[in-house]
Amino acid sequence: MARSAGATISVENPYDALARQIGESSYRVTDAQVEAVKVAAGSDKAAFEMVFAASVGAGLARWDAALSAIEGLDDAPA
């Protein structure tokens, strides 16, 4: 989760490449990236869990960015 949220932590490939891609632009994830994680993880379930965790991490990072952007804004005067 942390890697897809932009944290600079050490994660081995192919997990790192896929988590980073999910965090930056998930629409560009390729079948080959997912397949590489499936092979490295040893099962579809393990690969799914990795993709899911990366997706949640990326979503939470975006949520935090949105909250920071609106923090301190007041309602428009009536």
Side-chain angles (χ1 to χ4, degrees):
M1 285 177 43
R3 183 63 180 113
S4 63
T8 54
I9 59 173
S10 178
V11 179
E12 55 188 83
N13 274 321
Y15 308 109
D16 183 62
L18 182 58
R20 189 173 25 83
Q21 187 68 48
I22 289 170
E24 291 173 2
S25 53
S26 59
Y27 66 95
R28 291 185 172 189
V29 170
T30 65
D31 291 341
Q33 287 175 300
V34 175
E35 186 63 31
V37 168
K38 281 175 29 179
V39 169
S43 71
D44 287 348
K45 182 179 178 183
F48 171 79
E49 289 172 357
M50 185 271 161
V51 170
F52 185 78
S55 299
V56 169
L60 289 174
R62 287 175 177 83
W63 178 266
D64 288 343
L67 285 179
S68 293
I70 62 173
E71 205 168 74
L73 295 178
D74 295 328
D75 289 336

